[in-house]
Amino acid sequence: MAELNAIELEGVVKEYVSHGEVVQAVKGVTLDIAEGEFFSLLGPSGCGKTTTMRMIAGFEEPSRGVVKLHGQDVTNVPPNKRDVNMVFQSYALFPHMNVWDNVAFGLKQRRTPQEEIKRRVGEILEIVDLTGREKRRPREMSGGQQQRVALARALVNRPSALLLDEPLGALDLKLRQAMQIELKRIQREVGITFVYVTHDQSEALTMSDRIAVMKDGLVEQLAGPREIYERPASSFVAGFIGTSNLLSGVANGGVLEVGGGRVLVPEREGDVTLTVRPEKITISAEKPDGEVSVVPGTVTEVVYLGTYTSYAVSLAGGTEVTVFQQNAHDARNIAERGDAVWLSWQAQHSYALGS
Amino acid sequence: MKRLTPYLLALPGWMWLAIFLVVPMAAMASVSLQTGNAIDGFAMTFSVSNYTDALSRYSTQLVRSLAYGGAATLAMLLIGYPVAYWIAFKGGHRKSMYLFLLLLPFFVSFVLRTISWGFLLADDGILFGTLKGWGLLPADFHVLATAFAVIAGLTYNWLPFMILPIYVALERVDPRVVEAAQDLYASRTAAFRRVVLPLSLPGVFAGVLMTFVPATADPVNAQVLGGTSNTMIGNIIQTTYLTNLQYPTASALSFTLMAVLLVGIFVYARVLGTENVLEAAAR
């Protein structure tokens, strides 16, 4: 028997009527999420990622298309009859119940035997490190603790998939980073499919097995984090994930002329747009030798950032290029503002968009 | 000086309470223990019999008032909760308009509104008179001068005071908390029972207090809609004071009513568990 996907979306569309006009929040999303996968829906606000998740949870009914859980069509099944649970952005804990009752809510609704509720709630509270705080009310807890209650409340039901809607959005940076690691650990421990909605690209890159980058209600690219970072499918993806330099022009004989330099573009002819990641570029005072892309420019800005320094380099013709240089050896900057420099990078680090 | 500022700011409030609540209450307490008559004057005799006499003479009306007040409060709760729920969750951008409509009757005097109900419900008025004319109702059908008319009048007059606090409580319920309940396998009914209802209890608590007390003490509805056989304690106090000029008896009755209501509220708060209610409300 072939392994069934945890979640399948087939041509899912969501339309709203707003002020007499039909607005498409989701314009046709098709994707499969495998069992046990950590899957992220990544995109700016208004890209349809939350609507997509709410259709998986059952809070929104698709205007067209099919939602399947484990191969079962659940398109018109209400949320209380779906075997997925959600962690809400604002946690949406029950304010009138203590931690224990919050976590036990789902099991009680499913008429689980008292003994089993006791055991499973105890277990999950241990996993999220909240043992001993069973009697606390949500508002007596910190944001990070509330977050873990919300997680436990969903996970205790052992859903076939856990949906997380920007669950770390309300936490400060340090706590967020700690929770990212925590979430990954919990996911490995319980082995449940996670669907994670976020607008934070670094969060998606760190945690996900695969990422769907969304824009304007459509999936721009669906791939693993490395693939998305190294081989963005569009200038939108390249710009949204990390920092990216875009160079465009007409390629001729494997070479693209940019700002008085030569960029190597093997296997491409004609109009082309390249992306080059800032950390792949080397800055030098002398023109480097060898089979590399070489472009001259002038340093316009130097920003020291601790582990690396960010240089803004202006090319002839006005294109700005950002370069990151690790501060591995020298305490001094490689170049200063106003210096004429050479930028160089390996041919494989120019990635042509749309290839 | 800095430390005194909050107290100074509260001073007008305290003075208001002292002048308009504490002083009159003390005066009334004193009158309630005096004997005498309006012509020769009253003298303090510490006559506790004022209370026992009043209570034994008017216990029927007192019990009736509590029963009518209770029945009206229950009716207001049953009518008001769904209205508050509907405005809070389905009102959309017209919420303020619905609330305004709810308060619109207050632009007309309370007594006038009650009297118009008297006209509406009259045995041969525009409603029943017409229906009787068409032969849809028996000729001896009447609503006026029944317990039903009084309770209906009380319900009508205080309904907004039940709806508003419940609305405020429901309005504060995060819709995502309701979604969370549904996500955790609760049906719509179960989500209401386990989440929405408990979270709205502070509003219900306030609504019941704000309606039960005035409805029980009200003299107007019984007088206008109740005829002679539905006299409530408010009517007795009114006539004893204004017509019979028996100030001590009227004062004793007022204090008795107040004591009964306070005890009632206290028991109610204990039964419903104010602690829990207020804690849920505090969020």
Side-chain angles (χ1 to χ4, degrees), chain B residues 179-201:
Chain B
E179 281 187 347
Q182 287 174 7
D183 187 55
L184 295 163
Y185 319 112
S187 64
R188 279 165 178 277
T189 332
F192 175 77
R193 217 183 53 239
R194 297 284 314 275
V195 176
V196 179
L197 187 62
L199 287 176
S200 67
L201 276 187

Side-chain angles (χ1 to χ4, degrees), chain A residues 54 80 85-86 95-96 139, chain B residues 179 183 185 194 279 283:
Chain A
R54 288 174 61 84
N80 56 319
N85 289 121
M86 188 151 162
H96 56 304
R139 68 186 157 78
Chain B
E179 281 187 347
D183 187 55
Y185 319 112
R194 297 284 314 275
E279 208 168 300
R283 216 185 118 107

Side-chain angles (χ1 to χ4, degrees), chain A residues 110-151:
Chain A
R110 284 183 149 185
R111 312 212 182 289
T112 314
Q114 200 61 40
E115 276 306 303
E116 196 183 337
I117 294 183
K118 240 180 164 162
R119 189 172 50 76
R120 280 167 68 174
V121 172
E123 276 172 16
I124 202 74
L125 285 179
E126 195 159 317
I127 290 184
V128 299
D129 198 17
L130 283 173
T131 310
R133 297 180 202 271
E134 291 84 357
K135 297 278 169 249
R136 292 278 186 94
R137 292 284 172 103
R139 68 186 157 78
E140 298 164 350
M141 311 184 87
S142 70
Q145 288 172 333
Q146 291 188 28
Q147 160 72 62
R148 282 179 286 162
V149 177
L151 204 60

Side-chain angles (χ1 to χ4, degrees), chain B residues 167-280:
Chain B
Y167 165 80
V168 170
L170 285 172
E171 161 82 348
R172 280 166 50 187
V173 174
D174 183 352
R176 274 167 304 194
V177 171
V178 184
E179 281 187 347
Q182 287 174 7
D183 187 55
L184 295 163
Y185 319 112
S187 64
R188 279 165 178 277
T189 332
F192 175 77
R193 217 183 53 239
R194 297 284 314 275
V195 176
V196 179
L197 187 62
L199 287 176
S200 67
L201 276 187
V204 172
F205 183 81
V208 167
L209 276 193
M210 286 174 68
T211 53
F212 177 68
V213 173
T216 303
D218 175 64
V220 176
N221 283 278
Q223 194 182 336
V224 176
L225 303 172
T228 47
S229 57
N230 292 294
T231 319
M232 288 169 72
I233 197 72
N235 306 94
I236 303 291
I237 295 174
Q238 200 176 24
T239 39
T240 314
Y241 203 98
L242 295 178
T243 315
N244 304 348
L245 306 180
Q246 289 165 355
Y247 302 144
T249 313
S251 303
L253 270 177
S254 297
F255 267 108
T256 309
L257 175 63
M258 201 168 79
V260 168
L261 287 175
L262 280 176
V263 169
I265 290 165
F266 185 72
V267 170
Y268 169 66
R270 287 303 288 267
V271 168
L272 211 70
T274 359
E275 289 283 303
N276 264 329
V277 165
L278 296 179
E279 208 168 300

Side-chain angles (χ1 to χ4, degrees), chain A residues 10-330:
Chain A
E10 290 168 15
V12 168
V13 175
K14 180 68 193 179
E15 294 171 341
Y16 291 101
V17 178
S18 161
H19 298 104
E21 269 181 65
V22 177
V23 181
Q24 284 198 330
V26 175
K27 294 177 181 164
V29 167
T30 298
L31 47 85
D32 299 339
I33 301 171
E35 191 66 55
E37 195 173 17
F38 197 120
F39 189 94
S40 288
L41 291 165
L42 173 66
S45 60
C47 71
K49 57 189 192 298
T50 296
T51 310
T52 305
M53 166 170 283
R54 288 174 61 84
M55 286 190 285
I56 299 174
F59 295 126
E60 310 277 353
E61 218 170 291
S63 309
R64 285 190 289 285
V66 176
V67 179
K68 285 183 182 175
L69 299 176
H70 283 287
Q72 291 250 313
D73 185 342
V74 297
T75 314
N76 302 311
V77 174
N80 56 319
K81 303 219 168 97
R82 291 192 191 194
D83 187 25
V84 293
N85 289 121
M86 188 151 162
V87 176
F88 289 79
Q89 188 168 9
S90 51
Y91 317 139
L93 297 176
F94 305 124
H96 56 304
M97 297 182 196
N98 62 26
V99 170
W100 181 278
D101 291 333
N102 261 284
V103 175
F105 190 92
L107 294 174
K108 280 185 190 160
Q109 287 304 314
R110 284 183 149 185
R111 312 212 182 289
T112 314
Q114 200 61 40
E115 276 306 303
E116 196 183 337
I117 294 183
K118 240 180 164 162
R119 189 172 50 76
R120 280 167 68 174
V121 172
E123 276 172 16
I124 202 74
L125 285 179
E126 195 159 317
I127 290 184
V128 299
D129 198 17
L130 283 173
T131 310
R133 297 180 202 271
E134 291 84 357
K135 297 278 169 249
R136 292 278 186 94
R137 292 284 172 103
R139 68 186 157 78
E140 298 164 350
M141 311 184 87
S142 70
Q145 288 172 333
Q146 291 188 28
Q147 160 72 62
R148 282 179 286 162
V149 177
L151 204 60
R153 184 178 70 172
L155 281 174
V156 75
N157 306 297
R158 297 181 189 149
S160 62
L162 184 71
L163 313 175
L164 302 104
D165 186 9
E166 308 233 5
L168 308 182
L171 306 180
D172 61 53
L173 183 66
K174 268 265 180 280
L175 195 53
R176 196 155 68 221
Q177 288 169 340
M179 280 305 295
Q180 287 176 10
I181 297 167
E182 189 77 1
L183 273 179
K184 269 306 262 193
R185 174 184 70 80
I186 290 169
Q187 197 239 350
R188 269 197 309 273
E189 229 162 279
V190 296
I192 290 173
T193 312
F194 273 37
V195 181
Y196 194 94
V197 162
T198 182
H199 66 269
D200 184 330
Q201 42 100 6
S202 69
E203 212 166 272
L205 288 179
T206 356
M207 299 200 284
S208 316
D209 296 318
R210 282 193 308 153
I211 301 170
V213 183
M214 290 188 70
K215 184 199 171 197
D216 296 338
L218 289 169
V219 174
E220 286 271 305
Q221 187 171 11
L222 202 175
R226 188 172 291 271
E227 168 101 7
I228 283 196
Y229 186 78
E230 302 283 349
R231 302 178 172 281
S234 64
S235 58
F236 171 78
V237 176
F240 194 72
I241 313 283
T243 312
S244 192
N245 296 303
L246 293 180
L247 303 170
S248 38
V250 182
N252 205 340
V255 172
L256 177 68
E257 300 272 344
V258 177
R262 292 161 48 84
V263 177
L264 306 180
V265 267
E267 296 158 28
R268 285 299 279 242
E269 289 295 311
D271 281 336
V272 66
T273 299
L274 299 178
T275 79
V276 187
R277 293 294 183 184
E279 71 279 9
K280 312 285 191 199
I281 303 173
T282 309
I283 294 189
S284 52
E286 305 296 321
K287 183 174 180 180
D289 298 326
E291 271 304 286
V292 290
S293 300
V294 179
V295 183
T298 310
V299 177
T300 54
E301 203 69 68
V302 180
V303 182
Y304 178 75
L305 290 162
T307 53
Y308 64 94
T309 304
S310 166
Y311 298 87
V313 178
S314 181
L315 307 185
T319 311
E320 277 259 311
V321 174
T322 307
V323 181
F324 297 157
Q325 298 287 274
Q326 283 274 321
N327 296 324
H329 308 293
D330 218 317

